[in-house]
Amino acid sequence: MTSDLLAPLDLAFWNIESAEHPMHLGALGVFSAHSPTAGAHAADLLASRAAGVPGLRMRIRDVWQPFSFRPLAFGGATREPDPDFDPLHHVRLHAPTADFHADAGRLMERPLERGRPPWEAHVLPGEDGVSFAVLFKFHHALADGLRALTLAAAVMDPMDLPERKPRPAEPKRGLLPDVRKLPGLVRGAVSDVGRALDIGASLAVSSLGLRSSAALTAEPTGTRRTAGVVVDLDDVHRIRKSEGGTVNDVLIAVVAGALRRWLDERGDGSEGVRPRALIPVSKRRPRTATPQGNRLSGYLIRLPVDDPDPLARLDTVREAMDRNKDAGPNRGAGAVALLADHVPPLAHRLGGPLAGQAARLWFDILVTSVPLPGIGLKLGGNPVTEVYPLAPLARGQALAVAVSTYRGHVHYGLVADAKAVPDLDRLAAALSAEVETLITACGS
């Protein structure tokens, strides 16, 4: 594999990272073990298979040569093969544990080593001898959720998938535009300016009005806590069929109701609370995880936490998501990530810390969905029974929610600042309770 320049959004994730706010995403997979030694065997398999996955050999190296063959990349970074790649630096077997999420939270605190390919796989044997878990960590500059899933699946047991014709590779961007394309480029530049103004205006409007909650914001402590919730997908479909909308609308409304329940129970109160939720939107082509890096935009909605009626909360979420979809992922406050494409590499480098601090001005909570394959995953013949996606925590945010659907169940993965949200398990319980509340309310 050859080196390639990081796309602007990848570079932004690389530069906004700090010790207190590492920019890696994760996934905690729980496996049913065939034997007490299954975890150790899984670690051996991961290490041996990782050596054969080209994407796992890629490190990120800063570019500081102003007179190199890529002068416009000064201050940027490249993704390139690591000549000293050793899988044993990335795959780690831990002592048996009784609580996968407790260990995952501590491991999510630790930033990835930036001099090596930025990923890790932590194997956590269960004390019960009949289960183990694997925590995958990928830096957001290396992969978004879909790309990370592809890399993780590459070290699982082989799957029988229908053969697909390869898509033609996208041409590498040159340093200078093709003159034949200049008229279109000019029109595109004018359109980009208009889009930037639209996004900026939407972002300004989004910061007005209803309040968020102090429980969702935090000064950086560098601590992490994780929790997981499993919901029956059939229950979600029952609600959707009764009230309309999409599965994702229901899952977001469940988050809004759980936040209301949680805030009221802990004494913070939900009155007047409508936090801004960032809903990432993948801009990849369907059924592909190439090219590398991030292809993301987003929608921004106000979560109706202050509304006491569960069905009204669902209606509000559905209407807000419909408005976002009508506008498309290239417009509105949630699309602010697209502005990264218009910032030169050196500006990303110098402005990274400032951009990281601005996240709290943009949104209050992240609610993201990670697609998973419909077929069962296995490692060493041991089947995956649960998969909890784990999102990075931006500066100023105390909580992030990620959701995946796997084998008839919905898995909520919660990541929180451990000091700001010591009662994350209560929020997890509130998510389960909110599903039951919606089922009761719609008479399903």
Side-chain angles (χ1 to χ4, degrees):
M1 296 183 70
T2 58
S3 65
D4 65 307
L5 287 171
L6 259 64
L9 187 55
D10 301 341
L11 187 60
F13 283 126
W14 188 245
N15 286 323
I16 66 176
E17 182 172 63
S18 67
E20 295 80 15
H21 286 88
M23 282 289 106
H24 54 252
L25 47 86
L28 181 67
V30 180
F31 296 76
S32 176
H34 293 328
S35 73
T37 61
H41 179 53
D44 291 339
L45 283 176
L46 290 172
S48 63
R49 292 173 178 175
V53 181
L56 296 179
R57 305 177 67 93
M58 304 300 282
R59 68 179 180 180
I60 294 176
R61 187 175 63 84
D62 295 332
V63 176
W64 288 111
Q65 294 85 13
F67 302 109
S68 69
F69 69 100
R70 284 174 167 172
L72 298 183
F74 179 68
T78 62
R79 192 184 292 106
E80 61 184 34
D82 182 358
D84 301 316
F85 176 70
D86 183 349
L88 296 181
H89 290 152
H90 302 266
V91 179
R92 297 161 194 179
L93 177 64
H94 295 260
T97 178
D99 189 337
F100 295 138
H101 280 288
D103 282 32
R106 288 189 290 270
L107 291 169
M108 286 294 286
E109 293 179 2
R110 306 176 189 174
L112 294 164
E113 293 188 48
R114 292 170 73 92
R116 293 174 175 161
W119 68 273
E120 292 173 353
H122 297 269
V123 181
L124 308 169
E127 285 185 351
D128 56 14
V130 297
S131 65
F132 67 91
V134 178
L135 173 68
F136 287 100
K137 294 168 56 178
F138 294 95
H139 199 287
H140 224 321
L142 180 69
D144 58 15
L146 186 55
R147 175 68 179 170
L149 170 63
T150 301
L151 292 173
V155 292
M156 296 287 107
D157 293 352
M159 297 180 289
D160 293 326
L161 297 175
E163 186 176 350
R164 297 200 307 266
K165 293 182 179 180
R167 292 181 180 272
E170 293 188 7
K172 289 185 175 293
R173 291 179 296 178
L175 296 179
L176 296 176
D178 186 333
V179 254
R180 294 169 297 179
K181 299 179 180 179
L182 283 177
L185 291 171
V186 171
R187 287 194 299 271
V190 173
S191 174
D192 286 347
V193 170
R195 181 175 65 182
L197 292 173
D198 173 75
I199 292 172
S202 299
L203 187 61
V205 171
S206 74
S207 64
L208 303 175
L210 299 171
R211 72 182 184 93
S212 179
S213 169
L216 300 179
T217 60
E219 291 303 317
T221 69
T223 61
R224 293 293 181 270
R225 185 184 302 273
T226 72
V229 179
V230 181
V231 173
D232 194 315
L233 183 58
D234 285 343
D235 289 339
V236 177
H237 279 301
R238 288 163 61 191
I239 298 167
R240 178 190 62 80
K241 290 176 181 177
S242 173
E243 302 302 316
T246 67
V247 166
N248 203 41
D249 294 341
V250 176
L251 298 179
I252 295 170
V254 167
V255 173
L259 287 173
R260 175 183 175 83
R261 187 185 302 265
W262 176 63
L263 290 174
D264 288 343
E265 287 179 353
R266 75 198 317 247
D268 290 339
S270 59
E271 183 178 356
V273 173
R274 291 213 167 191
R276 296 161 299 173
L278 175 63
I279 316 293
V281 178
S282 176
K283 298 195 70 180
R284 291 189 184 278
R285 293 177 180 177
R287 299 173 62 83
T288 181
T290 56
Q292 302 180 65
N294 290 271
R295 296 296 182 272
L296 294 173
S297 182
Y299 298 145
L300 201 69
I301 71 171
R302 288 278 189 177
L303 294 181
V305 173
D306 61 342
D307 194 327
D309 185 337
L311 297 184
R313 289 195 295 267
L314 177 54
D315 286 342
T316 299
V317 168
R318 184 177 63 246
E319 291 169 1
M321 289 298 289
D322 286 346
R323 287 194 299 271
N324 275 303
K325 292 171 188 174
D326 288 343
N330 296 325
R331 298 183 61 188
V336 71
L338 300 180
L339 300 183
D341 289 338
H342 308 289
V343 178
L346 187 58
H348 275 293
R349 174 82 56 181
L350 299 176
L354 183 61
Q357 294 179 17
R360 71 174 69 194
L361 303 177
W362 176 19
F363 64 96
D364 303 303
I365 183 173
L366 178 73
V367 183
T368 184
S369 178
V370 181
L372 292 178
I375 59 178
L377 299 170
K378 294 183 179 180
L379 181 57
N382 303 285
V384 175
T385 58
E386 303 167 31
V387 184
Y388 300 98
L390 303 171
L393 207 57
R395 181 180 294 272
Q397 267 87 52
L399 176 67
V401 180
V403 193
S404 66
T405 301
Y406 179 72
R407 308 288 282 177
H409 291 88
V410 175
H411 295 82
Y412 281 95
L414 309 179
V415 177
D417 184 286
K419 293 186 177 179
V421 187
D423 57 345
L424 188 62
D425 289 342
R426 292 176 64 181
L427 177 58
L431 285 166
S432 297
E434 182 61 18
V435 174
E436 295 301 322
T437 297
L438 277 168
I439 290 174
T440 301
C442 66
S444 298

